[in-house]
Amino acid sequence: AQSVAQPEDQVNVAEGNPLTVKCTYSVSGNPYLFWYVQYPNRGLQFLLKYITGDNLVKGSYGFEAEFNKSQTSFHLKKPSALVSDSALYFCAVRDPNTGGFKTIFGAGTRLFVKA
Amino acid sequence: GAGVSQSPSNKVTEKGKDVELRCDPISGHTALYWYRQSLGQGLEFLIYFQGNSAPDKSGLPSDRFSAERTGGSVSTLTIQRTQQEDSAVYLCASALAGLNEQFFGPGTRLTVL
């Protein structure tokens, strides 16, 4: 069965500094990986995905993530954080070989960007 | 176009009562998901529907929970004999199968007194 872990409950970063939100996964086959963001009092929004191809994927709002098969990781990154990036971030994994369309979400990481 | 809509936005019920939560997916989306998000917690997968295939019910926490999707569109999540631990935000999402990313509704906040 697929699973995903976000080891940090919270990440604090100063505005203008680079940010990383960590995600590791476990699947039996090749994973489909996703990042979603939940802003305060707003619904969940898709940020980016890795399905196949280049390991570095770029998404909305200047975010990117790197798929690392050997480390089974898919960390979310941004070169320069903004206060408006403060939100709850979820990593998600799907194993199309065994799980069909079932998608498992991590527990979430709360990002605080301080001005 | 219209996004995913859910109703009601808030539901307060008494322990032991049944509740129905509704989800209207984006038109043409073949996949529909239900999740539960407890306060400050992650998303717990409940069930998904994909086209005419049998739904994956593996995330439903007990037989008090059930869901239907009529005509490949609207879905209803039913919780029978609600318990206080059922209190959470119930999120619905839909997706075009080929694109994989999910579009979420605003959720229904369920409070069981």
Side-chain angles (χ1 to χ4, degrees), chain B:
Chain B
V4 177
S5 61
Q6 293 186 245
S7 60
S9 55
N10 281 284
K11 177 72 177 178
V12 180
T13 191
E14 294 180 347
K15 178 181 173 181
K17 295 287 180 69
D18 298 350
V19 295
E20 286 189 351
L21 313 179
R22 177 187 169 105
C23 173
D24 284 85
I26 293 172
S27 178
H29 281 195
T30 57
L32 186 147
Y33 300 77
W34 283 99
Y35 297 92
R36 178 167 70 176
Q37 185 176 26
S38 300
L39 185 61
Q41 302 299 310
L43 273 68
E44 176 187 6
F45 168 81
L46 297 178
I47 185 171
Y48 84 77
F49 300 85
Q50 168 53 30
N52 295 321
S53 302
D56 182 333
K57 305 179 182 180
S58 61
L60 295 178
S62 77
D63 59 7
R64 296 187 295 105
F65 288 73
S66 62
E68 291 184 338
R69 188 178 186 191
T70 55
S73 180
V74 172
S75 178
T76 302
L77 177 69
T78 301
I79 308 173
Q80 295 179 311
R81 305 181 302 282
T82 52
Q83 303 294 313
Q84 288 183 333
E85 60 262 30
D86 299 334
S87 296
V89 176
Y90 289 81
L91 294 168
C92 174
S94 69
L96 272 173
L99 294 180
N100 299 293
E101 60 262 36
Q102 297 173 36
F103 295 81
F104 282 81
T108 293
R109 183 175 299 277
L110 174 67
T111 303
V112 182
L113 301 177

Side-chain angles (χ1 to χ4, degrees), chain A residues 2-4 32-36 91-96 99-106, chain B residues 31 33-35 43-48 56 58 93 95 100-102 104:
Chain A
Q2 65 263 48
S3 66
V4 61
Y32 290 4
L33 294 157
F34 307 85
W35 277 101
Y36 289 83
C91 182
V93 66
R94 190 183 139 204
D95 182 350
F101 285 84
K102 181 175 180 177
T103 305
I104 301 300
F105 283 73
Chain B
Y33 300 77
W34 283 99
Y35 297 92
L43 273 68
E44 176 187 6
F45 168 81
L46 297 178
I47 185 171
Y48 84 77
D56 182 333
S58 61
N100 299 293
E101 60 262 36
Q102 297 173 36
F104 282 81

